[in-house]
Amino acid sequence: RVNIFPNQIAEVQLIDDLMHKRSEVIENFGIHITADEPISVAVYLSYKWSGEAYRVIPVEWLGKEYVTLNLYQDKTDEIKPAQILIIATEDNTTVKYKPAWETEKVRLGRTGTVKMNQGETYLIEGKMDPAVTQDWISDLTGTIISANKPIAVLSGHTKGAFPRYSYT
């Protein structure tokens, strides 16, 4: 429990163990936030050479259909794929996803299905293939995601350089 007071900022640090790292495996990493009064919630992540920030969207604003925006597979010391994170807001949520590039479990042109409960998360990473590093064919942009109940979808990349530079 965190106490927040008007016109003040409360910072809550989360441990790395809550970061979803296994692709196409359900985890229970969702964070449920409630408040007695209106609040604004933002997330900021800074890791080594990059960072990101976004505003948390209330469940009431979430949808059931999404198309993702990602980037091609890149490489630093290891392959860095495009990624999509899905968060279920209700029990018995059925999610279908048709990736724009292959994943470990879903081949190109096929549809994956996963059943999730409230607070569960599901990470989808593009299939890692050294032959398509910095090649647009490995881009998950355009992946279609649909669900029978509202879900949150965060799409992006584990580390992508744009414009491209030589990873060697």
Side-chain angles (χ1 to χ4, degrees), residues 10 18 20 37 40 43 47 63 76 82 88 98 106 111 115 119 131 143 163 165:
L18 293 175
H20 201 130
E37 300 291 331
S40 291
V43 174
Y47 184 73
T76 54
K98 185 174 183 180
V106 181
T111 300
K115 293 190 184 296
T143 294
Y165 68 93

Side-chain angles (χ1 to χ4, degrees), residues 6-160:
N7 302 314
Q8 292 185 353
I9 295 173
E11 184 177 312
V12 178
Q13 293 188 7
L14 302 175
I15 59 174
D16 283 351
D17 291 344
L18 293 175
M19 185 182 304
H20 201 130
K21 297 176 184 172
R22 300 186 305 156
S23 185
E24 294 175 282
V25 173
I26 292 175
E27 300 281 9
N28 196 22
F29 290 156
I31 298 169
H32 191 102
I33 300 170
T34 60
D36 297 331
E37 300 291 331
I39 61 172
S40 291
V41 179
V43 174
Y44 173 74
L45 171 68
S46 178
Y47 184 73
K48 292 184 181 181
W49 56 81
S50 67
E52 60 186 87
Y54 61 91
R55 180 175 177 217
V56 175
I57 299 172
V59 171
E60 296 80 14
W61 295 5
L62 296 176
K64 297 178 186 176
E65 295 182 7
Y66 294 85
V67 179
T68 67
L69 179 63
N70 301 90
L71 190 61
Y72 47 69
Q73 171 185 287
D74 209 345
K75 182 178 179 184
T76 54
D77 53 332
E78 60 187 32
I79 292 176
K80 303 289 187 176
Q83 63 182 4
I84 301 163
L85 184 68
I86 301 169
I87 303 105
T89 63
E90 297 181 28
D91 288 343
N92 300 311
T93 299
T94 300
V95 178
K96 294 183 179 187
Y97 60 102
K98 185 174 183 180
W101 167 245
E102 290 190 8
T103 70
E104 287 301 318
K105 293 187 177 178
V106 181
R107 299 290 162 242
L108 198 57
R110 303 285 175 117
T111 300
T113 302
V114 62
K115 293 190 184 296
M116 302 171 68
N117 288 318
Q118 183 181 32
E120 291 182 336
T121 60
Y122 190 75
L123 177 67
I124 302 167
E125 290 182 335
K127 183 177 181 183
M128 292 182 258
D129 178 352
V132 296
T133 296
Q134 291 190 347
D135 187 328
W136 288 109
I137 195 172
S138 64
D139 189 357
L140 280 176
T141 294
T143 294
I144 299 168
I145 300 170
S146 62
N148 63 329
K149 298 179 182 183
I151 55 173
V153 175
L154 304 172
S155 65
H157 202 280
T158 52
K159 192 239 73 98

